[in-house]
Amino acid sequence: MSFRQPLPRTADESAAPRSAAAGGAAPASAPQDRSRIELVGVTKRFVSPTGAAMTALRDVDFVVEPGQFCAVVGPTGCGKSTTLTMVAGLDRPTAGVVRVGGAVVDGIPDSTSFMFQHDALLPWKSVLQNVALGPRFRGESKASALGRAREWLHVVGLSGFEDHHPHQLSGGMRKRATLAASLISEPSILLMDEPFGALDVQTKAIMSNELLTLWERTRPSVIFITHDLEEAVALADRVVVMTAGPGTVKAVYDIDLPRPRGAVQEIRFDSRFLELHQRIWESLREEVERAYARTGRTAGTATTGTEGGRP
Amino acid sequence: MNEASTMGDARTLAAIRAQSVQPASTDEASIAEAARRRVRRRKVLVQSTRLAVLVVVVGGWQLFTDRKIVDPFFFGQPSGIVLKLVDWVEHGTAYGSLWLQIGVTMKEALLGFAYGTGAGIVLGVLLGQIPFLADVIGPFIKVLNAIPRIVLGSIFVVWLGFGTTSKVLLAAVLVFFVVFFNAFQGVREVDRNLVANVRVLGASRAQTVRHVVLPSAVVWIIASLHVAFGFAIIGAIVGEFLGAQQGLGLVISTAQNNFDPNGIFAAMLLIAVVALSAEGLISQLEKRLLSWRPGTQTEVAGL
Ligand SMILES: Nc1ncnc2c1ncn2[C@@H]1O[C@H](COP(=O)(O)OP(=O)(O)O)[C@@H](O)[C@H]1O
Ligand SMILES: [Mg+2]
């Protein structure tokens, strides 16, 4: 379940002072402030080539404290991915600002990593070369980048697959490689867009545990998008619920489950977990129903299906 | 060829499945053995039928012209073609040794291919990356593409004379358009996710082109090279036709003026051999460059 090896060097040093404050959203010392993410009145409008405007996001406000793990849930098409691309500096808000570490984002920030919804490994490069890409782009020497990439592949349990091409790996292994590629730059901000959405339930649980283990060592600020509320509550310090499109923040919940959380599969039966899940689900359900209604299906059948799965 | 054998595999498997109702073939090893035997048998069948087709066509040609049912003066004769080739090898053509003619034509075709491919890739990538440039230059390229480019050969001969340069230029122009459109399209089809990903990883514009745009356009570019090399040879031959001092095109045009169909066919045969070897080399290159792809897609090579 957990990682086979301790993290490579630098990561371990920075993990040490923080392990004491490992309960909940640990408030941070000064240098960590650069990993504070703040969205203020963010609105995003897309204009189609025919000139029709479509509002994807409206007045989104929320804050991710330094080192906090923030999950964002909301119905499909409510603008979750759009939010993330603006935090990553890949796109700009139509109105409002995104600030990272107090500075307005107007380009791709240096210490941000992004795990995309779809596999983004370069299919023509080996797994090792893929993981080494970030350091290479940032000017690290080839030998050193490949060396560190090897260490990180070891950390995520992919030793022996260095020379494989992405299509030769299973979906779960590709996610591990992507995770290694995201973490090798030791980002202070980690953005994840439904990273485990395409995985089967068991693999997803394993990956979630591994993600938590890694995150607790270096504690980057995380925005983790998911449509799976259980996953959100199990992993996050803070859950942001978004409304059906145009998306805006409906409610923010702080998750006070203690850390380290342990196995994601087990925490789901914790009574506090169930209580929080129930509360957030009430809020999310309306939005999911509205989104379903819009797609033309009967809201009733669609949601009973989802709810029926709850213990 | 690959295609044929995989199709054979599929058919054999279906056949085996149909047979497996019989208790005799339930043993796994014997099933595999039977499948292998069927594949082998089919391969032999295909090869021998091919040979038969060749014998019938060439033999029929020889027979009909021998019996004067078809006039060998107009249609040539396989034996005459072979004699012509032997004569060329032994005594050379009117313009020097046969190898010199092949060499000249190959040199023109290869140089034209190299220049045309280079220009096509560079311009295709530039226009694919810079929409403004594409908007400005796009219409001009479309107009140029609409011109029957073979005619340009005449102009090139007027400008550059009977030497090899005019042929190289014609071949390059023919190659350019094929490669350019594919490179341009390839760049346009690049997966946006991959581009966004490397940008977040810190890639500069040049690094993005080098690590993402080019490799993904290579699939398209390579596909165009098969066609492009054919065009390079056409460019060289037609250029020689229009006026030259050496080369297979000149040999053909001389044979035409002498009413020597055997000479024309013999030169055609040589060109076909050259083109097929080049095709083989390009397929090798394709295999090397696209080794990362799941499964080898050799649709073109399979034909
Ligand atoms: N580049 C774009 N151009 C036009 N519309 C877009 C673009 N990106 C997203 N959208 C629209 O914005 C809405 C939100 O999309 P997205 O952020 O992907 O939702 P989510 O990730 O929550 O499912 C959708 O209706 C989508 O069609
Ligand atoms: Mg999305």
Side-chain angles (χ1 to χ4, degrees), chain B residues 6 13 18 20 27 70 117 151 161 190 210 223 229-230 242 276 297-298:
Chain B
T6 30
L13 285 175
S20 65
D27 175 37
V70 174
T117 305
V151 179
V190 168
R210 175 158 171 261
F229 194 78
L242 296 173
L276 279 177
Q297 278 137 340
T298 47

Side-chain angles (χ1 to χ4, degrees), chain A residues 39 42 57 60 62 72 78-88 98 223 225 242:
Chain A
L39 289 91
V42 172
L57 287 175
V60 171
F62 70 91
V72 177
C78 73
K80 303 185 296 291
S81 300
T82 306
T83 310
L84 223 49
T85 55
M86 286 186 299
V87 178
V98 180
I223 301 184
I225 287 174
M242 289 184 67

Side-chain angles (χ1 to χ4, degrees), chain B residues 215-233:
Chain B
S216 79
V218 156
V219 179
W220 288 72
I221 293 170
I222 290 262
S224 74
L225 294 190
H226 293 283
V227 182
F229 194 78
F231 276 142
I233 291 185

